Amino acid sequence: MRFYDKDCNPEQLSPLTLAFIGDTVFDLFVRERLVCLANRPVNALHSLAVTKVKASAQAEAAKKIAPSLSEKELSVFKRGRNAHTNHKAKNASESDYHYATGLEALFGYLYLSGSLERLRELFDLIEEQ
């Protein structure tokens, strides 16, 4: 399932393009979880979301799910992680920024592939304590 129901082949997209959409997909998962956990003031929700979507947290998440990835998923993640960006992270190490980009590329790829169940599985792994 996708919101925009037109043909889009994620195999033909660059890793940074996948990360572009994956950033929003990951953010939506985080925000939905926070909203469903408790009715809080918006500023509190925002603060909690920031702790989950910042590069260092995404890098940790990527490392957490790495052993559970299929060969194809790992390949997409590595393409994103190794992509050359012209952007420097403001509040993250270069390593964390690259791992976060890999996670976002993976989430973008899975979303555009229509793999919502797999996205849920990976997000549940990330959120396990």
Side-chain angles (χ1 to χ4, degrees), residues 1-4 6 8-29 58 65 69 72-73 75-81 99-116 118-120 122-123 126:
M1 185 208 124
R2 293 192 323 253
F3 291 104
Y4 183 71
K6 299 291 180 201
C8 181
N9 184 354
E11 299 285 340
Q12 296 177 342
L13 300 175
S14 76
L16 293 179
T17 299
L18 293 172
F20 173 77
I21 189 73
D23 176 50
T24 298
V25 173
F26 188 79
D27 187 62
L28 183 58
F29 268 88
Q58 287 184 340
I65 64 171
L69 298 180
K72 178 62 183 172
E73 291 167 345
S75 173
V76 171
F77 166 76
K78 286 180 177 179
R79 283 181 51 225
R81 183 195 63 195
Y99 268 83
T101 303
L103 180 75
E104 291 169 352
L106 175 61
F107 268 63
Y109 175 84
L110 291 171
Y111 172 75
L112 292 174
S113 298
S115 302
L116 189 57
R118 182 60 174 153
L119 282 167
R120 286 183 185 127
L122 293 176
F123 191 75
I126 290 166

Side-chain angles (χ1 to χ4, degrees), residues 9-60:
N9 184 354
E11 299 285 340
Q12 296 177 342
L13 300 175
S14 76
L16 293 179
T17 299
L18 293 172
F20 173 77
I21 189 73
D23 176 50
T24 298
V25 173
F26 188 79
D27 187 62
L28 183 58
F29 268 88
V30 167
R31 287 172 181 250
E32 182 177 329
R33 180 176 185 274
L34 290 172
V35 165
C36 291
L37 284 175
N39 190 18
R40 296 181 171 111
V42 174
N43 61 342
L45 289 168
H46 176 73
S47 295
L48 289 167
V50 167
T51 66
K52 298 284 190 180
V53 299
K54 64 184 178 180
S56 59
Q58 287 184 340
E60 276 185 44

Side-chain angles (χ1 to χ4, degrees), residues 68-104:
S68 302
L69 298 180
S70 70
E71 193 173 308
K72 178 62 183 172
E73 291 167 345
L74 189 58
S75 173
V76 171
F77 166 76
K78 286 180 177 179
R79 283 181 51 225
R81 183 195 63 195
N82 296 336
H84 295 287
T85 65
N86 292 326
H87 179 71
K88 296 287 184 196
K90 290 185 280 184
N91 300 312
S93 71
E94 189 172 335
S95 174
D96 281 353
Y97 184 75
H98 285 287
Y99 268 83
T101 303
L103 180 75
E104 291 169 352

